[in-house]
Amino acid sequence: MSSPPKLPGPLARLKKRIRTTLNLPRLWRHWSKGKTDLKGAWPDRLYIEITNVCNLDCVMCPTGLHVLERAKGFMEEDFFQRIVDEMAPHVRTTTLHIWGEPLLHPKLASMIRYAREAGLEVSISTNATLLDEKQARAILGSGLSEIYLCLDGMDAATYEAIRRKADFAVTVANIERFITLKQSCGGAVAPPKTYVQLIEMAPTHEQAASFRSHWSRPGVDRVNVKAFDSWGNQVKEITRLKDPTTERVSMKDRYHCPLLWYHAHVYVDGTMTCCDRDFGAKYPLGNVAEAGSVMAVWNGPRMQGLRAKHLAKDLADVAPCRLCTEWSWWKPGPFNSHGNAPGDR
Protein backbone atom coordinates (compact mmCIF):
# COMPACT_ATOMS: atom_id res chain seq x y z
CA MET A 1 0.00 0.00 0.00
CA SER A 2 1.11 3.57 -0.64
CA SER A 3 1.96 5.99 2.16
CA PRO A 4 -1.12 7.36 3.95
CA PRO A 5 -2.53 10.74 2.92
CA LYS A 6 -1.32 13.80 4.81
CA LEU A 7 -4.43 14.91 6.65
CA PRO A 8 -4.93 18.44 7.99
CA GLY A 9 -3.53 19.04 11.47
CA PRO A 10 -5.57 19.01 14.71
CA LEU A 11 -6.18 22.78 14.75
CA ALA A 12 -7.40 22.81 11.14
CA ARG A 13 -9.69 19.85 11.85
CA LEU A 14 -11.10 21.58 14.94
CA LYS A 15 -11.83 24.77 13.01
CA LYS A 16 -13.51 22.76 10.25
CA ARG A 17 -15.64 20.87 12.78
CA ILE A 18 -16.80 24.11 14.39
CA ARG A 19 -17.57 25.65 11.00
CA THR A 20 -19.58 22.68 9.71
CA THR A 21 -21.37 22.19 13.03
CA LEU A 22 -22.53 25.82 13.04
CA ASN A 23 -23.65 25.43 9.44
CA LEU A 24 -26.28 22.86 10.43
CA PRO A 25 -28.59 25.16 12.43
CA ARG A 26 -28.19 27.72 9.65
CA LEU A 27 -29.42 25.19 7.08
CA TRP A 28 -32.21 24.04 9.37
CA ARG A 29 -33.38 27.62 9.91
CA HIS A 30 -33.49 28.24 6.15
CA TRP A 31 -35.35 24.97 5.56
CA SER A 32 -37.81 25.25 8.46
CA LYS A 33 -38.66 28.88 7.65
CA GLY A 34 -38.98 28.17 3.92
CA LYS A 35 -36.15 30.43 2.80
CA THR A 36 -35.08 29.88 -0.80
CA ASP A 37 -31.97 32.09 -0.72
CA LEU A 38 -29.41 30.24 1.40
CA LYS A 39 -26.89 33.06 1.55
CA GLY A 40 -24.26 32.38 4.18
CA ALA A 41 -24.90 28.62 4.26
CA TRP A 42 -23.15 25.71 2.58
CA PRO A 43 -24.43 22.24 1.69
CA ASP A 44 -23.80 19.67 4.39
CA ARG A 45 -22.92 16.94 1.91
CA LEU A 46 -21.47 17.04 -1.61
CA TYR A 47 -22.15 14.28 -4.13
CA ILE A 48 -19.71 14.12 -7.04
CA GLU A 49 -20.38 11.78 -9.95
CA ILE A 50 -16.83 10.91 -10.98
CA THR A 51 -18.30 8.57 -13.61
CA ASN A 52 -21.73 7.52 -14.85
CA VAL A 53 -20.38 4.37 -16.48
CA CYS A 54 -21.23 1.02 -14.90
CA ASN A 55 -20.29 -2.57 -15.63
CA LEU A 56 -23.61 -4.10 -14.49
CA ASP A 57 -27.25 -4.02 -15.58
CA CYS A 58 -28.96 -3.97 -12.17
CA VAL A 59 -32.75 -4.20 -12.27
CA MET A 60 -33.39 -1.49 -9.65
CA CYS A 61 -31.13 1.08 -11.29
CA PRO A 62 -31.78 3.53 -14.14
CA THR A 63 -28.19 3.03 -15.30
CA GLY A 64 -28.62 -0.74 -15.38
CA LEU A 65 -31.90 -0.43 -17.29
CA HIS A 66 -30.22 1.91 -19.80
CA VAL A 67 -32.73 4.71 -19.34
CA LEU A 68 -30.01 7.31 -18.68
CA GLU A 69 -29.86 9.48 -21.76
CA ARG A 70 -26.88 11.53 -20.61
CA ALA A 71 -23.51 11.15 -22.34
CA LYS A 72 -21.29 8.65 -20.53
CA GLY A 73 -17.86 9.61 -19.33
CA PHE A 74 -15.32 10.11 -16.56
CA MET A 75 -14.74 13.34 -14.66
CA GLU A 76 -11.38 14.96 -15.37
CA GLU A 77 -9.15 15.02 -12.32
CA ASP A 78 -8.40 18.74 -12.55
CA PHE A 79 -12.12 19.59 -12.61
CA PHE A 80 -12.65 17.32 -9.61
CA GLN A 81 -9.85 19.10 -7.78
CA ARG A 82 -11.37 22.51 -8.48
CA ILE A 83 -14.65 21.35 -6.93
CA VAL A 84 -12.84 19.99 -3.89
CA ASP A 85 -10.72 23.13 -3.47
CA GLU A 86 -13.87 25.28 -3.37
CA MET A 87 -15.99 23.09 -1.13
CA ALA A 88 -13.62 21.30 1.26
CA PRO A 89 -13.26 24.17 3.76
CA HIS A 90 -17.02 24.26 4.32
CA VAL A 91 -18.47 20.77 3.67
CA ARG A 92 -18.10 17.75 5.93
CA THR A 93 -18.43 14.84 3.51
CA THR A 94 -18.22 14.08 -0.17
CA THR A 95 -19.63 10.98 -1.83
CA LEU A 96 -17.85 9.94 -5.02
CA HIS A 97 -20.68 8.07 -6.69
CA ILE A 98 -24.07 8.90 -8.09
CA TRP A 99 -24.95 6.96 -11.26
CA GLY A 100 -21.83 4.96 -12.02
CA GLU A 101 -19.42 2.43 -10.55
CA PRO A 102 -16.59 4.45 -8.95
CA LEU A 103 -14.05 1.63 -9.18
CA LEU A 104 -14.11 2.07 -12.97
CA HIS A 105 -12.46 5.49 -12.66
CA PRO A 106 -8.70 5.02 -13.16
CA LYS A 107 -7.93 7.93 -10.82
CA LEU A 108 -10.25 6.90 -7.97
CA ALA A 109 -7.53 6.36 -5.35
CA SER A 110 -5.80 9.65 -6.11
CA MET A 111 -9.15 11.48 -6.07
CA ILE A 112 -9.93 10.05 -2.64
CA ARG A 113 -6.47 11.01 -1.39
CA TYR A 114 -6.80 14.57 -2.74
CA ALA A 115 -10.19 15.09 -1.08
CA ARG A 116 -8.98 13.66 2.23
CA GLU A 117 -5.87 15.85 2.25
CA ALA A 118 -8.17 18.82 1.60
CA GLY A 119 -10.09 17.93 4.77
CA LEU A 120 -13.14 16.10 3.44
CA GLU A 121 -14.51 12.83 4.68
CA VAL A 122 -14.91 10.61 1.60
CA SER A 123 -17.51 7.90 0.97
CA ILE A 124 -18.06 5.52 -1.92
CA SER A 125 -20.61 2.84 -2.73
CA THR A 126 -19.50 0.00 -4.98
CA ASN A 127 -21.00 -3.15 -6.45
CA ALA A 128 -17.66 -4.77 -5.43
CA THR A 129 -17.41 -6.83 -8.61
CA LEU A 130 -14.12 -5.09 -9.49
CA LEU A 131 -12.76 -5.05 -5.96
CA ASP A 132 -9.80 -7.35 -6.56
CA GLU A 133 -6.77 -7.33 -4.28
CA LYS A 134 -5.02 -4.54 -6.19
CA GLN A 135 -8.09 -2.29 -6.01
CA ALA A 136 -8.65 -3.14 -2.36
CA ARG A 137 -5.09 -2.23 -1.39
CA ALA A 138 -5.23 1.02 -3.38
CA ILE A 139 -8.47 2.06 -1.68
CA LEU A 140 -7.24 1.11 1.78
CA GLY A 141 -4.13 3.20 1.18
CA SER A 142 -6.05 6.23 -0.07
CA GLY A 143 -7.54 7.33 3.24
CA LEU A 144 -11.16 6.52 2.32
CA SER A 145 -13.54 7.27 5.20
CA GLU A 146 -16.35 4.81 4.47
CA ILE A 147 -17.33 2.24 1.88
CA TYR A 148 -20.64 0.55 1.09
CA LEU A 149 -20.17 -2.94 -0.34
CA CYS A 150 -23.39 -3.80 -2.16
CA LEU A 151 -24.50 -7.43 -2.24
CA ASP A 152 -28.21 -7.86 -2.95
CA GLY A 153 -28.93 -11.44 -2.03
CA MET A 154 -27.90 -14.42 0.04
CA ASP A 155 -27.58 -16.80 -2.89
CA ALA A 156 -26.44 -16.74 -6.49
CA ALA A 157 -29.93 -17.05 -7.98
CA THR A 158 -31.31 -14.00 -6.14
CA TYR A 159 -28.19 -11.88 -6.48
CA GLU A 160 -27.48 -12.56 -10.15
CA ALA A 161 -31.12 -11.92 -11.12
CA ILE A 162 -30.80 -8.45 -9.53
CA ARG A 163 -27.17 -7.58 -10.22
CA ARG A 164 -27.16 -8.73 -13.82
CA LYS A 165 -23.72 -9.47 -15.32
CA ALA A 166 -22.28 -10.06 -11.84
CA ASP A 167 -21.01 -13.34 -10.38
CA PHE A 168 -22.13 -14.01 -6.80
CA ALA A 169 -19.10 -16.11 -5.82
CA VAL A 170 -16.65 -13.53 -7.16
CA THR A 171 -18.36 -10.61 -5.40
CA VAL A 172 -18.56 -12.46 -2.08
CA ALA A 173 -14.88 -13.35 -2.34
CA ASN A 174 -14.00 -9.72 -3.11
CA ILE A 175 -15.93 -8.48 -0.07
CA GLU A 176 -14.44 -11.09 2.25
CA ARG A 177 -10.91 -10.32 1.05
CA PHE A 178 -11.45 -6.58 1.51
CA ILE A 179 -12.63 -7.13 5.08
CA THR A 180 -9.57 -9.29 5.81
CA LEU A 181 -7.16 -6.76 4.31
CA LYS A 182 -8.84 -3.94 6.21
CA GLN A 183 -8.36 -5.74 9.50
CA SER A 184 -4.68 -6.32 8.81
CA CYS A 185 -3.76 -2.81 7.68
CA GLY A 186 -2.34 -0.29 10.10
CA GLY A 187 -0.97 3.19 9.79
CA ALA A 188 -1.64 6.77 10.72
CA VAL A 189 -5.04 6.91 9.01
CA ALA A 190 -7.89 4.72 10.24
CA PRO A 191 -9.27 2.22 7.69
CA PRO A 192 -12.66 3.02 6.20
CA LYS A 193 -15.87 2.29 7.99
CA THR A 194 -17.15 -0.73 6.11
CA TYR A 195 -20.83 -1.42 5.48
CA VAL A 196 -22.12 -4.50 3.70
CA GLN A 197 -25.42 -3.54 2.12
CA LEU A 198 -28.59 -5.15 0.85
CA ILE A 199 -31.44 -3.16 -0.69
CA GLU A 200 -34.74 -4.28 0.80
CA MET A 201 -37.14 -4.87 -2.08
CA ALA A 202 -39.57 -7.57 -3.11
CA PRO A 203 -36.89 -10.07 -4.30
CA THR A 204 -34.70 -9.63 -1.18
CA HIS A 205 -37.26 -9.02 1.57
CA GLU A 206 -37.24 -12.59 2.88
CA GLN A 207 -33.44 -12.66 3.00
CA ALA A 208 -32.88 -9.49 5.03
CA ALA A 209 -32.70 -11.22 8.42
CA SER A 210 -30.28 -13.92 7.28
CA PHE A 211 -28.19 -11.26 5.49
CA ARG A 212 -27.83 -9.30 8.72
CA SER A 213 -26.85 -12.43 10.63
CA HIS A 214 -24.37 -13.68 8.04
CA TRP A 215 -22.46 -10.41 7.60
CA SER A 216 -22.40 -9.33 11.26
CA ARG A 217 -18.75 -10.06 11.86
CA PRO A 218 -15.48 -8.37 12.85
CA GLY A 219 -14.37 -5.90 10.20
CA VAL A 220 -17.93 -5.00 9.20
CA ASP A 221 -18.95 -1.81 10.97
CA ARG A 222 -22.60 -2.13 10.01
CA VAL A 223 -24.83 -4.42 8.01
CA ASN A 224 -26.97 -1.93 6.12
CA VAL A 225 -30.40 -3.07 4.96
CA LYS A 226 -31.20 -0.06 2.82
CA ALA A 227 -34.72 1.20 2.26
CA PHE A 228 -35.93 0.74 -1.31
CA ASP A 229 -35.60 3.91 -3.38
CA SER A 230 -38.12 4.24 -6.21
CA TRP A 231 -36.05 7.03 -7.83
CA GLY A 232 -39.10 9.24 -7.97
CA ASN A 233 -41.41 6.51 -9.31
CA GLN A 234 -40.31 7.44 -12.82
CA VAL A 235 -39.48 3.94 -14.12
CA LYS A 236 -42.23 1.32 -13.91
CA GLU A 237 -39.77 -1.59 -13.95
CA ILE A 238 -38.17 -0.18 -10.80
CA THR A 239 -41.34 0.92 -8.99
CA ARG A 240 -42.82 -2.58 -9.18
CA LEU A 241 -39.82 -4.01 -7.28
CA LYS A 242 -40.96 -2.27 -4.11
CA ASP A 243 -41.85 -4.60 -1.27
CA PRO A 244 -45.68 -4.53 -1.13
CA THR A 245 -45.63 -4.69 2.67
CA THR A 246 -43.86 -1.30 2.88
CA GLU A 247 -46.01 1.43 4.41
CA ARG A 248 -47.42 3.80 1.80
CA VAL A 249 -46.63 7.50 1.97
CA SER A 250 -49.53 9.94 1.80
CA MET A 251 -48.80 12.69 -0.72
CA LYS A 252 -51.25 15.01 1.04
CA ASP A 253 -48.73 15.18 3.92
CA ARG A 254 -45.97 16.35 1.60
CA TYR A 255 -43.52 18.98 2.84
CA HIS A 256 -40.63 20.63 1.00
CA CYS A 257 -37.79 18.17 0.44
CA PRO A 258 -34.74 18.95 2.60
CA LEU A 259 -32.37 17.60 -0.05
CA LEU A 260 -32.56 20.93 -1.88
CA TRP A 261 -31.36 22.68 1.25
CA TYR A 262 -28.80 20.17 2.54
CA HIS A 263 -27.11 18.42 -0.40
CA ALA A 264 -25.38 19.34 -3.67
CA HIS A 265 -25.23 16.89 -6.58
CA VAL A 266 -22.71 17.49 -9.36
CA TYR A 267 -22.78 15.19 -12.37
CA VAL A 268 -19.81 14.09 -14.44
CA ASP A 269 -20.14 16.99 -16.92
CA GLY A 270 -20.66 19.59 -14.17
CA THR A 271 -24.47 19.67 -14.32
CA MET A 272 -26.13 20.14 -10.94
CA THR A 273 -29.50 18.56 -10.17
CA CYS A 274 -31.86 18.60 -7.20
CA CYS A 275 -30.72 15.09 -6.24
CA ASP A 276 -29.86 11.75 -7.82
CA ARG A 277 -33.52 11.09 -8.61
CA ASP A 278 -33.05 13.43 -11.54
CA PHE A 279 -30.89 10.71 -13.07
CA GLY A 280 -31.43 12.03 -16.59
CA ALA A 281 -30.79 15.69 -15.66
CA LYS A 282 -34.23 16.53 -17.01
CA TYR A 283 -34.45 19.52 -14.66
CA PRO A 284 -30.89 20.91 -14.67
CA LEU A 285 -30.13 23.67 -12.21
CA GLY A 286 -27.01 24.94 -13.93
CA ASN A 287 -23.51 23.78 -14.79
CA VAL A 288 -20.68 24.11 -12.29
CA ALA A 289 -18.01 24.16 -15.00
CA GLU A 290 -19.75 26.96 -16.87
CA ALA A 291 -20.67 28.96 -13.76
CA GLY A 292 -17.16 28.70 -12.36
CA SER A 293 -18.18 27.41 -8.93
CA VAL A 294 -20.46 24.95 -7.16
CA MET A 295 -21.98 27.63 -4.95
CA ALA A 296 -22.94 29.85 -7.88
CA VAL A 297 -25.28 27.07 -8.99
CA TRP A 298 -26.31 25.64 -5.61
CA ASN A 299 -27.72 28.99 -4.55
CA GLY A 300 -28.41 30.25 -8.07
CA PRO A 301 -31.75 31.29 -9.60
CA ARG A 302 -32.75 27.83 -10.86
CA MET A 303 -32.12 26.18 -7.49
CA GLN A 304 -33.87 28.96 -5.62
CA GLY A 305 -36.76 28.63 -8.04
CA LEU A 306 -37.03 24.89 -7.45
CA ARG A 307 -36.98 25.42 -3.69
CA ALA A 308 -39.89 27.84 -4.17
CA LYS A 309 -41.78 25.26 -6.23
CA HIS A 310 -41.34 22.71 -3.43
CA LEU A 311 -42.67 25.18 -0.90
CA ALA A 312 -45.70 25.82 -3.12
CA LYS A 313 -46.09 22.10 -3.95
CA ASP A 314 -46.05 23.15 -7.58
CA LEU A 315 -44.15 20.20 -9.03
CA ALA A 316 -46.27 19.05 -11.96
CA ASP A 317 -43.54 20.02 -14.41
CA VAL A 318 -40.63 18.63 -12.33
CA ALA A 319 -40.38 14.99 -13.35
CA PRO A 320 -37.96 13.75 -10.65
CA CYS A 321 -40.01 15.38 -7.86
CA ARG A 322 -43.61 15.03 -9.11
CA LEU A 323 -44.27 11.45 -7.91
CA CYS A 324 -41.36 11.10 -5.52
CA THR A 325 -42.09 9.90 -1.98
CA GLU A 326 -38.53 9.92 -0.67
CA TRP A 327 -39.01 13.44 0.72
CA SER A 328 -40.66 11.59 3.61
CA TRP A 329 -37.27 10.12 4.56
CA TRP A 330 -36.11 13.53 5.72
CA LYS A 331 -36.97 15.59 8.77
CA PRO A 332 -33.76 17.36 9.83
CA GLY A 333 -33.26 19.14 13.12
CA PRO A 334 -31.03 22.03 14.21
CA PHE A 335 -28.01 19.74 14.60
CA ASN A 336 -29.15 16.70 12.67
CA SER A 337 -28.94 16.30 8.91
CA HIS A 338 -29.86 12.62 8.68
CA GLY A 339 -33.02 11.33 7.11
CA ASN A 340 -35.62 9.27 8.96
CA ALA A 341 -35.91 6.30 6.58
CA PRO A 342 -34.55 2.86 7.50
CA GLY A 343 -30.91 2.53 6.48
CA ASP A 344 -28.47 5.28 5.68
CA ARG A 345 -28.40 8.39 3.48
Side-chain angles (χ1 to χ4, degrees):
M1 296 180 193
S2 58
S3 59
K6 297 177 182 178
L7 303 184
L11 181 59
R13 292 199 299 270
L14 176 61
K15 288 180 177 178
K16 169 85 175 277
R17 184 178 301 173
I18 293 171
R19 191 159 51 241
T20 54
T21 299
L22 293 177
N23 186 54
L24 285 174
R26 193 176 298 124
L27 287 172
W28 179 77
R29 185 169 61 251
H30 287 316
W31 175 77
S32 61
K33 293 184 178 297
K35 302 293 185 181
T36 59
D37 184 349
L38 275 54
K39 185 178 181 180
W42 294 75
D44 179 57
R45 194 177 186 104
L46 172 66
Y47 288 79
I48 305 175
E49 183 184 67
I50 61 172
T51 182
N52 59 356
V53 177
C54 191
N55 60 318
L56 300 186
D57 287 341
C58 301
V59 298
M60 68 296 189
C61 176
T63 302
L65 294 175
H66 302 283
V67 298
L68 259 69
E69 297 173 354
R70 295 185 286 123
K72 297 296 180 67
F74 297 86
M75 184 174 284
E76 295 291 339
E77 196 168 14
D78 63 341
F79 179 47
F80 171 81
Q81 290 175 359
R82 291 202 303 272
I83 294 172
V84 169
D85 290 346
E86 177 192 358
M87 304 300 286
H90 307 280
V91 177
R92 292 190 300 176
T93 303
T94 187
T95 299
L96 304 188
H97 66 268
I98 302 183
W99 287 115
E101 170 49 53
L103 267 61
L104 285 169
H105 201 297
K107 298 292 187 179
L108 173 62
S110 64
M111 286 173 153
I112 295 170
R113 177 182 292 267
Y114 189 88
R116 286 289 276 145
E117 291 183 344
L120 283 165
E121 298 294 319
V122 183
S123 172
I124 64 170
S125 177
T126 173
N127 59 42
T129 60
L130 305 173
L131 193 61
D132 58 17
E133 184 173 348
K134 182 179 179 181
Q135 282 271 28
R137 290 186 181 276
I139 288 172
L140 287 168
S142 68
L144 184 69
S145 307
E146 61 179 14
I147 185 169
Y148 288 80
L149 303 170
C150 302
L151 183 72
D152 293 299
M154 280 296 294
D155 55 67
T158 303
Y159 171 80
E160 292 171 10
I162 294 169
R163 298 272 176 177
R164 295 182 301 195
K165 294 185 179 179
D167 183 297
F168 180 71
V170 169
T171 307
V172 169
N174 287 349
I175 291 173
E176 290 178 337
R177 180 177 53 245
F178 183 87
I179 293 167
T180 299
L181 288 171
K182 172 198 165 180
Q183 290 178 289
S184 65
C185 73
V189 179
K193 296 288 185 182
T194 301
Y195 313 129
V196 181
Q197 177 172 287
L198 173 141
I199 298 173
E200 190 166 23
M201 49 187 159
T204 63
H205 176 73
E206 297 299 326
Q207 298 184 5
S210 58
F211 187 88
R212 280 195 180 96
S213 176
H214 180 81
W215 288 104
S216 295
R217 61 177 71 177
V220 176
D221 295 278
R222 185 172 74 244
V223 179
N224 195 50
V225 177
K226 183 178 182 289
F228 176 74
D229 199 320
S230 71
W231 308 119
N233 290 296
Q234 298 173 87
V235 183
K236 290 181 181 179
E237 293 92 333
I238 296 175
T239 301
R240 69 188 182 196
L241 293 170
K242 187 173 184 177
D243 178 7
T245 65
T246 304
E247 184 179 354
R248 291 182 177 273
V249 175
S250 173
M251 296 297 276
K252 70 179 182 179
D253 297 327
R254 183 171 200 151
Y255 49 83
H256 50 292
C257 180
L259 281 173
L260 277 72
W261 278 257
Y262 279 81
H263 290 179
H265 288 73
V266 181
Y267 283 168
V268 67
D269 66 345
T271 299
M272 183 178 289
T273 62
C274 58
C275 74
D276 47 2
R277 290 162 191 90
D278 191 1
F279 46 81
K282 299 295 186 182
Y283 202 92
L285 302 171
N287 188 287
V288 170
E290 295 170 1
S293 77
V294 174
M295 293 302 291
V297 182
W298 186 72
N299 202 31
R302 288 278 289 177
M303 178 65 104
Q304 289 192 37
L306 185 55
R307 290 180 186 130
K309 289 176 76 68
H310 270 254
L311 289 162
K313 301 183 181 181
D314 176 24
L315 298 169
D317 63 336
V318 187
C321 304
R322 182 171 56 237
L323 299 176
C324 183
T325 58
E326 276 72 49
W327 51 266
S328 64
W329 293 10
W330 277 78
K331 213 75 183 275
F335 291 97
N336 176 22
S337 65
H338 288 265
N340 56 359
D344 210 320
R345 297 190 271 185

